[in-house]
Amino acid sequence: FYKNKKVRLLIPFLLLVVFGLVGTSFAWAKQEVSVENKLKAHTTEISIEEDFEPETGKKVVEFKNNGSSSVFLRMTWTEYWETADGKILSNQIDGKEVATKKWTEAYEQQWQAADPADGWFYYTRILPAGESTNMILTKVEFPEEYKGDLADYKDAEYHLYFQVEAVQASDSAGTLNSAQVNADATWTTWHMTATVGDDGTVTWSAQAPAQGNQEGGD
């Protein structure tokens, strides 16, 4: 009953290649070189990698960049219990979790709840192509007994869904004004502004960029 979602975003770009004329030495004649250029757009493809063992409650979760471009990430999750007759139960009773998620130290240090009201957690790194985040979750622990307030949960199934979204990051050394490009891209897409520090860490803010495109979002 654990499920995941894969988010695929395709972001095209333009690549201009110029081929000049090659002249021969000590001659008035010239040669022209004709080459067929096959250009491939960068892709952004993120997957949720999970290792789940129902018997032990082990649930290892991380996110992988399967695309060809670096990305900014944000993720969220939904959890609930469902009884045999279809009744939906919250995972919290009086502010305490029924099923307890065991988050990793990497989750605590590398994911920022920049705007708690939106329910998303923002990755404080740029994730390069082909790489994965550190594990964010290792296990889900369930009550040993289902008595009292937990009686309704005895025969219910627990569901935990993760969702991840990505925005292409401009981290190439040849990118002009990459800081503004990144800020505008994340603001337009998520209504959040990403600022990349000299050490590569990403700071998130609900404030619009100082310049550039400040439209978008809800």
Side-chain angles (χ1 to χ4, degrees):
F1 49 86
Y2 289 83
K3 300 180 181 179
N4 62 44
K5 299 181 180 178
K6 181 182 289 185
V7 177
R8 295 169 179 247
L9 303 175
L10 300 180
I11 303 179
F13 75 106
L14 297 179
L15 176 64
L16 180 63
V17 181
V18 178
F19 288 87
L21 301 178
V22 180
T24 59
S25 300
F26 305 106
W28 292 107
K30 64 182 180 182
Q31 298 175 336
E32 292 185 358
V33 179
S34 178
V35 178
E36 180 182 0
N37 299 304
K38 297 181 179 181
L39 306 181
K40 184 177 181 180
H42 280 207
T43 61
T44 303
E45 179 182 333
I46 307 300
S47 62
I48 301 174
E49 306 293 317
E50 294 182 290
D51 181 9
F52 171 56
E53 295 179 358
E55 298 79 9
T56 64
K58 174 185 176 182
K59 186 174 178 68
V60 175
V61 178
E62 62 185 18
F63 306 107
K64 184 177 181 180
N65 183 355
N66 298 307
S68 59
S69 60
S70 298
V71 296
F72 297 104
L73 287 181
R74 73 173 184 176
M75 69 89 181
T76 189
W77 70 90
T78 300
E79 61 181 343
Y80 62 90
W81 295 73
E82 185 176 8
T83 64
D85 59 1
K87 182 180 179 181
I88 302 301
L89 305 176
S90 171
N91 190 51
Q92 290 198 357
I93 297 179
D94 297 330
K96 295 182 179 180
E97 291 188 330
V98 177
T100 305
K101 297 177 293 298
K102 296 301 180 181
W103 301 107
T104 64
E105 184 176 349
Y107 164 78
E108 301 290 347
Q109 296 179 350
Q110 298 177 357
W111 294 84
Q112 177 186 355
D115 182 2
D118 72 4
W120 289 92
F121 292 79
Y122 296 79
Y123 190 48
T124 57
R125 305 286 191 277
I126 289 178
L127 186 61
E131 296 191 13
S132 300
T133 65
N134 291 317
M135 291 185 299
I136 64 169
L137 185 69
T138 60
K139 190 176 183 180
V140 177
E141 294 184 346
F142 299 97
E144 295 182 358
E145 295 182 320
Y146 292 87
K147 298 180 179 180
D149 292 339
L150 297 178
D152 290 341
Y153 293 79
K154 182 177 181 180
D155 297 319
E157 290 186 341
Y158 172 74
H159 298 259
L160 176 60
Y161 300 87
F162 282 90
Q163 180 180 349
V164 61
E165 294 182 351
V167 171
Q168 183 174 330
S170 297
D171 60 348
S172 171
T175 302
L176 296 177
N177 202 17
S178 61
Q180 190 67 49
V181 171
N182 287 328
D184 289 343
T186 52
W187 176 259
T188 300
T189 307
W190 293 336
H191 218 57
M192 297 292 295
T193 299
T195 302
V196 183
D198 294 337
D199 60 352
T201 59
V202 180
T203 302
W204 293 92
S205 171
Q207 298 296 319
Q211 298 177 353
N213 184 6
Q214 299 183 13
E215 298 179 356
D218 297 328

